[in-house]
Amino acid sequence: MLTAFDQDFNQIHEEELNVDWTHKPTIKFIKDGMLYTYINLEDELGFLRVKTSITEE
């Protein structure tokens, strides 16, 4: 499940992710405000990049 909150921690969105979390990714490094980690996809190396942004409305 993925849940997004605003700056006051009010829930603004929730969505179920169709992902097999059998092997949870671990944080490897953070660069330029993005979290990078690697995942094994059927014996292929893949990278998961997560970047967040906060905007004022």
Side-chain angles (χ1 to χ4, degrees), residues 9-45:
F9 295 105
N10 297 309
Q11 182 177 336
I12 57 176
H13 183 76
E14 186 170 71
E15 184 173 329
E16 185 170 346
L17 300 175
N18 188 14
V19 177
D20 177 16
W21 292 108
T22 305
H23 303 287
K24 296 188 294 188
T26 58
I27 297 174
K28 297 302 177 193
F29 60 94
I30 297 175
K31 181 180 177 189
D32 299 328
M34 275 196 282
L35 178 149
Y36 287 78
T37 187
Y38 67 86
I39 52 177
N40 182 347
L41 300 170
E42 299 177 7
D43 291 332
E44 296 291 329
L45 178 63

